[in-house]
Amino acid sequence: MAPKQLHLGVALDGAGWHPAAWREPNSRPAELFSPGYWTDLVGTAERGLLDFVSIEDTLRIPGSPHEPSDDAVDRVRARIDANLIAARVAPVTRHIGLIPTVTVTHTEPFHVSKAIATLDYTSRGRAGWQVRVSGSAEEAAHFGRRDVHELTAADIAEAVASGVFPKQAHELFEEAADAVEVARRLWDSWEDDAEIRDVATRRFIDRDKLHYIDFEGRFFSVRGPSITPRPPQGQPVVAALAHGPLIYEFAARSVDLVFVTPSRADGPHALLEQVAAAGAQRVGEPLRVYADIAVFLDSDQETGPQRLARLNELVGAEFVSDAATFAGSADELAELLTAWGEQGIDGFRLRPGVAVDDLAAITDRLVPALQRRGVFRTGYPDGPLRALLGLPTDVPNRYATA
């Protein structure tokens, strides 16, 4: 029997996921906010035939997601907008999917739907969206529209361990589910053939093929239709990072891909069972489950563990991640990915510890190791991001008439 084919993407975050990444010789810290830096990174990922790049973003200064911002100056303390980065690299890439992170808690779903639909046009059908919620008072203070009870690192750790999430967390994900539903309805609010563009009859659109969505919910009241035609994919790919049953339930209800964080010690089996249980009532296409892994691969000068130890020494602390951390050779990582794929993981999203160095190692060392095992493609197929990920490409429009 032919080996299972693996799906592989990368998550890009500034200079890399390690706080000392920007201090590495190849990391180009003076260019972190330049177009060339990002087009080079995504170009490297596309050269490796990867499925997608996701681009991290938050509404706060980069740092620990569940701790108040501090005054540390020995790490990258700024970021630029993920969706605009994706829009910039879209015209200079051809195949790779682009999945920016967009926070929904303080953002109107009408704006989000229009932005992602626009990205789908500029990328010619390669857009996705990673949904993020915001539970911090610091982020809420940027907007001044609501009071937020801060969820601390201890609150989150206890909730993940117990599976019992506080009321505020439930409300955040209920709101996020509504935001995704509004965006999806707005993407469908134009039928595929609504644009006529007939100069002779002076009709640009067929108004009968534009639809009010008339969404009424606890958090939003949105009439529609969108002001942007239906995206090329019909429904761009929606993804979310999930820790624990509450967020697995949100993912099963609302998204196409869920990024999860199994540990090296336990592997993915128990976690896959939790995701399956949360999605027992899901209708239609099954939820795709991707495992996140932070990676520090061997270089010509150092082993992965030596690189990680040196980076830790620079910041005076061990690297801590919600995801499993791998430090070693490309062949060892290929064995791990193949084993987890056989256990039921649909794909992997790798987090390069140092963006420039580890992304190059993924492309030049890991991908060939996977190809030698016959578990990764040797060229891009034709089609949009949905096709690349094995999702249906003929997505019915919920408002279209027969």
Side-chain angles (χ1 to χ4, degrees), residues 306-317:
Q306 289 171 337
R307 291 180 59 229
L308 177 56
R310 181 174 54 76
L311 289 164
N312 288 343
E313 187 175 355
L314 287 174
V315 295

Side-chain angles (χ1 to χ4, degrees), residues 295-298 307 351-363:
V295 298
F296 300 83
L297 291 173
D298 291 356
R307 291 180 59 229
R351 304 179 183 181
V354 178
V356 172
D357 294 338
D358 285 299
L359 182 55
I362 289 167
T363 290

Side-chain angles (χ1 to χ4, degrees), residues 1-7 267-270 272 289 291 333-348 370 373-376:
M1 184 170 65
K4 178 181 177 180
Q5 295 297 295
L6 300 182
H7 288 278
H269 180 71
L272 283 167
V289 184
L333 181 55
E335 290 295 331
L336 175 65
L337 302 188
T338 302
W340 279 13
E342 291 172 351
Q343 293 180 51
I345 290 290
D346 295 304
F348 299 90
L370 293 172
R373 289 164 173 78
V375 297
F376 196 69

Side-chain angles (χ1 to χ4, degrees), residues 92-390:
V92 295
T93 53
R94 294 185 58 194
H95 301 287
I96 195 164
L98 304 171
I99 306 181
T101 301
V102 181
T103 301
V104 298
T105 308
H106 304 289
T107 311
E108 295 297 333
F110 186 92
H111 295 151
V112 176
S113 75
K114 184 163 71 74
I116 300 300
T118 301
L119 177 61
D120 209 38
Y121 275 102
T122 60
S123 65
R124 301 174 298 280
R126 293 180 286 122
W129 165 30
Q130 181 178 336
V131 182
R132 184 188 291 277
V133 302
S134 165
S136 80
E138 179 182 348
E139 292 177 59
H142 294 321
F143 301 89
R145 296 177 181 171
R146 64 172 83 180
D147 294 324
V148 172
H149 170 68
E150 186 79 46
L151 296 177
T152 66
D155 294 333
I156 299 298
E158 181 181 350
V160 170
S162 66
V164 179
F165 285 76
K167 178 182 178 182
Q168 179 182 321
H170 283 272
E171 291 182 343
L172 286 172
F173 285 99
E174 288 171 10
E175 180 183 39
D178 278 3
V180 175
E181 178 64 16
V182 169
R184 288 191 181 279
R185 292 190 189 193
L186 288 167
W187 290 335
D188 277 348
S189 65
W190 288 54
E191 296 185 35
D192 290 324
D193 57 351
E195 297 172 76
I196 301 172
R197 305 186 186 189
D198 189 334
V199 175
T201 62
R202 297 184 295 177
R203 296 177 70 212
F204 185 83
I205 60 171
D206 181 345
R207 189 61 186 81
D208 291 336
K209 295 189 176 183
L210 271 61
H211 302 277
Y212 296 115
I213 70 167
D214 290 327
F215 182 90
E216 293 285 347
R218 176 183 171 190
F219 304 98
F220 306 107
S221 175
V222 181
R223 189 179 190 211
S226 178
I227 60 172
T228 305
R230 195 175 194 229
Q233 293 185 95
Q235 291 284 318
V237 176
V238 183
L241 173 64
H243 309 92
L246 171 66
I247 319 175
Y248 301 151
E249 291 169 7
F250 160 74
R253 173 182 173 185
S254 299
V255 309
D256 306 299
L257 309 181
V258 60
F259 305 128
V260 298
T261 54
S263 69
R264 292 284 302 279
D266 298 332
H269 180 71
L271 189 150
L272 283 167
E273 289 186 338
Q274 293 181 49
V275 175
Q281 304 303 315
R282 181 181 171 101
V283 177
E285 196 68 17
L287 181 64
R288 279 17 181 214
V289 184
Y290 282 52
D292 272 20
I293 305 175
V295 298
F296 300 83
L297 291 173
D298 291 356
S299 69
D300 292 334
Q301 294 77 34
E302 298 173 293
T303 66
Q306 289 171 337
R307 291 180 59 229
L308 177 56
R310 181 174 54 76
L311 289 164
N312 288 343
E313 187 175 355
L314 287 174
V315 295
E318 293 293 316
F319 175 70
V320 177
S321 174
D322 58 320
T325 300
F326 175 89
S329 72
D331 279 307
E332 291 168 333
L333 181 55
E335 290 295 331
L336 175 65
L337 302 188
T338 302
W340 279 13
E342 291 172 351
Q343 293 180 51
I345 290 290
D346 295 304
F348 299 90
R349 185 175 70 155
L350 305 181
R351 304 179 183 181
V354 178
V356 172
D357 294 338
D358 285 299
L359 182 55
I362 289 167
T363 290
D364 296 331
R365 299 171 187 246
L366 175 63
V367 167
L370 293 172
Q371 290 169 333
R372 287 194 296 272
R373 289 164 173 78
V375 297
F376 196 69
R377 71 175 71 89
T378 56
Y380 276 114
D382 292 331
L385 176 58
R386 293 184 65 90
L388 189 58
L389 300 178

